[in-house]
């Protein structure tokens, strides 16, 4: 059988068929991958653009400054505060928000609008009358009509009606970088600024699909000639993609990804949406650790005005900064900034966007940049405590990126005075006592200070250590140290509280023996001694506390019972474990300065206890206040009788006026105050706790390693307290309120009522002495007529 070879056409060549199939398959795979990649890019573009576009840091605010009659504007540093808050001084009557005028006897302030957690300040125009010494005498609201122009109610208890200078930003929670923005809509941006940016950055913005082919070809040719990427040819849309989605790495791969994403962005969203996002995204300089992002924030930072109010020259200046913000920043180099601005104006004029007269007028505009330097990290130990409190309620992603506005109780003026007082006090100690100087950071002499409003428990100032950068350990909240004699007033408080409850009638003139004493403790004996190793015999309770006599205080504590003292200490604010041992009366337990501050705040507040308060409110990104659950401990409650608290306060006034704390007067503090020194055995810890009716302050000085400093509370802590409190007295001094259950009698040294040579003493009603030194007809006349 003869086989015939079958002819095949050229199109059926097996080799060519295989190649064709491979090419087709390859194209299909490439197309599939490209399609999948484009779908992925498209999803990425839409997800970010349609979702939450920016991570906004949470800002932490100080307390506002409440204006009230009697406030010393010099000690409150009102002028400096207004400047930090972007108020600018004018010579004529104020007409715009953010202006103030000041003379020797009067101020006018046009407040900024501000949203507080409890209310909104609309931005009132205030007239403030001043005394010769700079104290506020009268406040009027000039925003109202003449008929309504009456003095504002600034009495205590009317705090919501008090005018307030808005709080300052003292810190924030953020991720890798603090991007500060004021988001604005496109219609809030002046057209001239839009025109200026488009002329400089992308003249074909409204006609291209996201990329400019001619510009790209030109850039490719330049880059190939240079052998590297030196020119971008990017459109405004590509700039947004680079800043919004990508990094700044200059590679061919990233440029290709940028171009594709720009096309997709333009495909999915309108030009207006892209432009608005661009104006909110662009970087325009730096304010310390805070990056200035977006036209809204830049307008406020550089010119203290909203974007819509920018002049032609100001708009051109900002447009010129976009290409190199730090190079052309008016803060860095005003002359280079002006030169760049003028180039932008020339471009606008040559393009016919502005007239010749507008061009010439804008060139003459003075660049008067009002740089706003935020007082960030003003109180780092305080801010750490805020984060600690909020960590239980909010995860890091919420705190760092959701734009919360966190309002605190911190008083900026008091905080700065506190930091200065601690720093100066420790330096003075080391200068006068070189043996205290340590060169290893962890061994340095340390100090801590906390100031508390006794009426609310609000922490107004907190210094947790000497240098935060060297040690972040917060000694106010976390250190546990023996308070020494600082604890003694609690023993006397226990005695007076017993009297107030109808028990043994202890009074300031009750006697206790300052004599050697031996107590059996756990099978061993303990014999407390006085600091000077001497004994004074029978003393009144007033004298025993004023002179800080150890044996007299321990003897009194044995009469009262240690368990009763523990109970009172815990009631007024001591939360650390308290062992019911005899040495407790001399402060042998370990407590934090904050605990001692809250205990003394209870005394200053007439026996009403508050928990320490650091937060005053939180506002979410939508401007709505966030309600935080208040536990039972945070509520105020009466824990000790007002009468017993007053007697201890009265005794501690004597400690300052004539006792171990006389240094307060010698160093120049003249206001009403009560206080107590504290020194531990071995001279390891030096304390001073004292208060006025408005402010309680506790100071501790010592070494973290518990070494002896060979100093006392009077020599180490008291000067710091006095230095701080002299600056903290923002208003004229007031007296401690006398409870209804207190009566005063003049008594002589024998404890007998005697009008002629007696000294006035307070007594809980029913415990006062009845024996009188007056006899005969004089006594009869007084009984009959008085």
């Amino acid at each position: 059988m003869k086989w015939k070879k079958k002819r095949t056409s050229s199109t059926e060549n097996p080799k060519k068929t295989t190649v064709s199939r491979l090419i087709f398959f390859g194209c299909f795979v490439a197309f599939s991958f490209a399609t999948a990649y484009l779908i992925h890019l498209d999803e990425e573009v839409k997800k970010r653009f349609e979702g939450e576009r920016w991570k906004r840091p949470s800002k932490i605010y100080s307390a506002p400054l409440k204006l009230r009659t009697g406030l010393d504007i010099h000690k409150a540093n009102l002028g400096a505060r207004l400047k930090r808050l972007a108020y600018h001084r004018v010579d004529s009557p104020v007409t715009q928000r953010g202006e103030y005028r000041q003379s020797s006897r009067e101020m006018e302030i046009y407040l900024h609008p501000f949203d507080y957690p409890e209310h909104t300040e609309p931005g009132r125009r205030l007239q403030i009358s001043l005394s010769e010494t700079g104290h506020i005498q009268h406040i009027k609201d000039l925003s109202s009509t003449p008929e309504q122009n009456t003095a504002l109610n600034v009495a205590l208890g009317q705090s919501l009606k008090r005018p307030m200078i808005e709080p300052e930003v003292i810190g924030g929670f953020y991720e890798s970088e603090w991007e500060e923005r004021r988001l604005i809509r496109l219609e809030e941006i002046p057209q001239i600024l839009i025109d200026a940016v488009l002329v400089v950055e992308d003249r074909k913005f409204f006609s291209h699909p996201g990329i400019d082919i001619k510009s790209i070809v030109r850039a490719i040719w330049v880059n190939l000639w240079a052998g590297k990427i030196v020119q971008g040819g990017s459109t405004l849309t590509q700039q947004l993609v680079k800043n919004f989605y990508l990094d700044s790495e200059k590679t061919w791969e990233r440029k290709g990804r940028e171009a594709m994403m720009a096309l997709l962005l333009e495909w999915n969203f309108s030009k207006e949406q892209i432009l608005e996002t661009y104006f909110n995204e662009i970087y325009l300089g730096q304010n310390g650790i805070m990056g200035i992002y977006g036209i809204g924030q830049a307008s406020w930072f550089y010119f203290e005005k909203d974007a819509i109010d920018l002049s032609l020259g100001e708009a051109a200046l900002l447009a010129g900064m976009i290409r190199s913000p730090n190079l052309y920043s008016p803060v860095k180099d005003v002359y280079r900034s002006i030169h760049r601005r003028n180039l932008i104006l020339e471009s606008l004029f040559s393009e016919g966007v502005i007239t010749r007269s507008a061009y010439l007028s804008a060139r003459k505009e003075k660049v008067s940049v009002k740089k706003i330097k935020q007082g960030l990290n003003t109180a780092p130990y305080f801010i750490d405590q805020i984060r600690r409190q909020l960590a239980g309620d909010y995860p890091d992603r919420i705190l760092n990126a959701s734009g919360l506005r966190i309002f605190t109780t911190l008083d900026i003026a008091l905080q700065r005075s506190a930091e200065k007082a601690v720093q100066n006090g420790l330096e003075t100690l080391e200068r006068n006592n070189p043996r205290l100087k340590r060169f290893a950071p962890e061994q340095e002499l340390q100090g801590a200070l906390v100031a508390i409003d006794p009426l609310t428990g609000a922490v107004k100032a907190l210094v947790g250590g000497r240098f935060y950068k060297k040690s972040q350990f917060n000694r106010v909240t976390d250190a546990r140290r023996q308070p020494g004699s600082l604890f003694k007033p609690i023993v006397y408080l226990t005695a007076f509280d017993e009297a107030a409850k109808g028990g043994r009638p202890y009074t300031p003139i009750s006697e206790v023996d300052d004599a050697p004493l031996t107590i059996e403790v756990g099978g061993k004996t303990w014999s407390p001694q006085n600091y000077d190793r001497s004994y004074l015999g029978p003393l009144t309770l007033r004298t025993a506390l004023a002179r800080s006599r150890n044996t007299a205080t321990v003897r009194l504590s044995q009469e009262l019972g240690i368990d009763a003292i523990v109970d009172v200490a815990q009631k007024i604010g001591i939360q650390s474990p308290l062992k019911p041992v005899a040495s407790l009366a001399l402060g042998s337990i370990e407590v934090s300065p904050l605990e001692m501050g809250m205990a003394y705040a209870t005394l200053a507040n007439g026996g009403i206890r508050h928990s320490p308060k650091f937060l005053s409110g939180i506002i979410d990104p939508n401007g709505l206040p966030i309600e935080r659950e208040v536990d039972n401990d945070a509520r105020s409650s009466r824990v000790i009788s007002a009468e017993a608290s007053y007697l201890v306060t009265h005794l501690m006034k004597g400690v300052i006026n004539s006792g171990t704390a006389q240094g307060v007067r010698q160093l120049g503090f003249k206001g009403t105050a009560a206080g107590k020194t504290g020194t531990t055995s071995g001279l390891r810890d030096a304390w001073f706790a004292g208060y006025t009716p408005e402010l309680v302050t506790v100071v501790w000085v010592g070494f973290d390693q518990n070494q002896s400093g060979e100093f006392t509370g009077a020599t180490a802590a008291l000067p710091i307290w006095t230095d701080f409190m002299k600056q903290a007295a923002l208003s004229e001094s007031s007296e401690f309120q006398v409870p209804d259950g207190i009566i005063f009698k003049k008594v002589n040294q024998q404890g007998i009522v005697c009008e002629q040579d007696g000294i006035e003493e307070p007594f809980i009603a029913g415990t006062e002495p009845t024996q009188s030194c007056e006899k005969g007809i004089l006594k009869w006349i007084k009984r009959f007529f008085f």
Side-chain angles (χ1 to χ4, degrees), residues 521-539:
V521 180
K524 299 180 180 180
T525 58
W526 175 59
S527 299
Q529 292 183 323
N530 291 316
Y531 177 73
D532 59 2
R533 301 292 193 273
S534 69
Y535 302 95
L536 302 179
L539 299 173

Side-chain angles (χ1 to χ4, degrees), residues 272-291:
E272 288 73 20
Q273 289 175 297
I274 293 170
L275 198 59
E276 179 177 291
T277 305
Y278 175 84
F279 277 117
N280 281 306
E281 171 63 27
I282 49 177
Y283 172 69
L284 286 165
Q286 201 73 23
N287 178 19
I289 63 172
M290 181 188 292

Side-chain angles (χ1 to χ4, degrees), residues 235-260:
T235 63
L236 186 146
T237 310
Q238 287 176 273
Q239 292 180 41
L240 177 59
V241 167
K242 180 183 70 174
N243 296 330
F244 207 57
Y245 298 98
L246 307 173
D247 55 36
S248 57
E249 184 184 7
K250 292 184 177 181
T251 64
W252 291 106
E253 179 184 354
R254 191 198 64 77
K255 290 297 292 183
R257 181 180 173 91
E258 175 188 297
M260 285 188 286

